[in-house]
Amino acid sequence: MTKEFWIGDVLAGSHDGLEVELRGWVYRTRGSNKIRFLVLRDSTGTLQCVIKRDIVGDECFDNLSDALIESSIIISGEVKKTDREHGYELEVHSANIVGPVNPDRPFPITESAMSEADGGETEFLLDNRHLYLRTGRMTKMLKIRSTVFGAVHSYFRDREFIEYQAPNFVAGAVEGGSTLFEVPYFGKKAYLTQSWQLYAEAAMPALERLYTIAPSFRAEKSRTRRHLTEFWHAEMEIAWAGNEDVMKHGESLVRSIARSLIDEREQELLELGRDMELIHNYADTSYPRIRYDEAVETLQGKGIEIEWGQDLDYSKEKVLTQDFEVPHFLTHYPRVAKPFYHRPDPEDPKYVLCHDLLAPEGYGEIIGGGERTWSESEILERIDEEDTPREPYEFYIDVRRYGGVPHGGFGMGVDRVCAWLSGADHIRETIPFPRDSRRVTP
Ligand code: 4AD
Ligand code: MG
């Protein structure tokens, strides 16, 4: 039953003149009573198949003529070179339909259905997400996404990082209470994790270099172009490291993701309309660092209202990053703007030793990280000044009680990186089944 031939290989010229058996789905058909042109789709591309009544016989010809869009078929014939669009086509010798489509329920995603949908095209496609996955744009996006995931694993594994898993049910916040998802937990309250970090820090003295790619959850009420309630989070933690060491990893990771996309997904990116020169620039050029205070001044200079001490929200990052040619690190945020785990700068404890990496073209934050508060006295001071209860964090404080060392790490929003590098308008384009405050189906 194994599939032997792929449309991508046919298009690449590997099977010229050969008899092949292709398996896939009907993308579209047209033709007459004597000859039909069926475009077959598989995961690697689309190929025109030419079906002649006098070659395949009446029964096969009529079956194929009736095959509706997205019927699955096995089709055999000879690969021929043509001057037409794709360069190759299949002269069909025989075919059979494996999974027919019921004529009473034709494939719902059509141009006219999209334009006539009551809730608009976007909602229509989200309602039919399970079927939309098969369309060209989404398929390309999913391949790009796979390359990004692969690049993250390779980056860390090539550098002796250990992949490590943290629980998803947790007792406390990492990134503040306002975006915590509460779940009933056998008569108690638990939360869905916002980040792997605190549990990674517990393993830091055991493994020293660790990473993960896992879902994180944030109860983001507002729907924006860059927020999901469930997103994929690539995180790393490293012992014996300061803010600058962690930033270096963030920069190399993002650049190596861009490099992997150039090597593996140029075609998909071009088909999505991406300017590859930008991606080359993101892979080859180093990323500048600016301090929070400078960013605030720049924004104020552009007439944006911002007070010192505020975190930068999307509207501000968008303005700030509009003119960037490559990602920039923003460092040294005010202590009051960041959660308790960030280490105050010993040179000026008004600030913390942290960084956000802001992607250009208006995309904004893709990485948040920094150096951790690593002594017991400092962490207790930070927890208390935030009025955070100590109890859920006792395990975290213990990491400092037993041989604390300088360490740090970051979290990268994988879906955001996919959106930025693919040039998507909205983060939901990059994930198969996007979750936001209004939607958990399909
Ligand atoms: O900046 P954040 O909140 O940092 C942390 O969670 C740290 N504990 C990470 C660490 O140091 N290990 O989140 C990290 C990144 C953001 O820069 C952003 O890219 C992504 O996670 N992110 C989201 N992506 C999609 N939807 C959301 N709602 C996101 N919230 C954060
Ligand atoms: Mg952040």
Side-chain angles (χ1 to χ4, degrees), residues 10 140 160 164-165 200 210 222 250 277 355 387 404 408 437 440:
V10 172
K140 290 177 193 90
E160 311 295 337
Y164 164 86
Q165 291 79 28
L210 48 158
S222 58
E277 226 176 275
H355 60 269
D387 252 349
S437 58
V440 282

Side-chain angles (χ1 to χ4, degrees), residues 338 356 365 368:
K338 291 286 174 186
D356 279 1
E365 181 187 339

Side-chain angles (χ1 to χ4, degrees), residues 292-324:
Y292 169 91
D293 284 4
E294 291 171 64
V296 168
E297 269 175 39
T298 307
L299 284 167
Q300 286 169 343
K302 288 177 186 266
I304 303 287
E305 246 179 71
I306 173 164
E307 267 174 55
W308 189 93
Q310 275 184 318
D311 208 352
L312 301 188
D313 62 15
Y314 179 44
S315 62
K316 297 184 182 76
E317 283 181 10
K318 202 174 161 184
V319 176
L320 193 66
T321 59
Q322 215 96 61
D323 311 325
F324 288 177

Side-chain angles (χ1 to χ4, degrees), residues 79-95:
V79 174
K80 296 230 156 131
K81 238 191 163 104
T82 79
D83 308 331
R84 272 191 281 266
E85 191 188 347
H86 296 299
Y88 287 93
E89 60 186 27
L90 191 76
E91 187 184 274
V92 178
H93 296 156
S94 66

Side-chain angles (χ1 to χ4, degrees), residues 175 195 197 218 220 228 233 235 365-367 372 411 413:
E175 297 300 324
S195 162
Q197 180 193 327
R218 309 267 170 113
E220 311 275 2
L228 295 164
H233 208 168
E235 295 184 83
E365 181 187 339
I366 50 173
I367 279 182
R372 316 303 187 195

Side-chain angles (χ1 to χ4, degrees), residues 245-264:
D245 304 307
V246 176
M247 271 193 281
K248 277 191 189 132
H249 276 294
E251 172 172 351
S252 326
L253 171 63
V254 173
R255 287 173 62 177
S256 76
I257 293 170
R259 175 56 52 197
S260 298
L261 287 174
I262 292 165
D263 293 343
E264 296 173 22

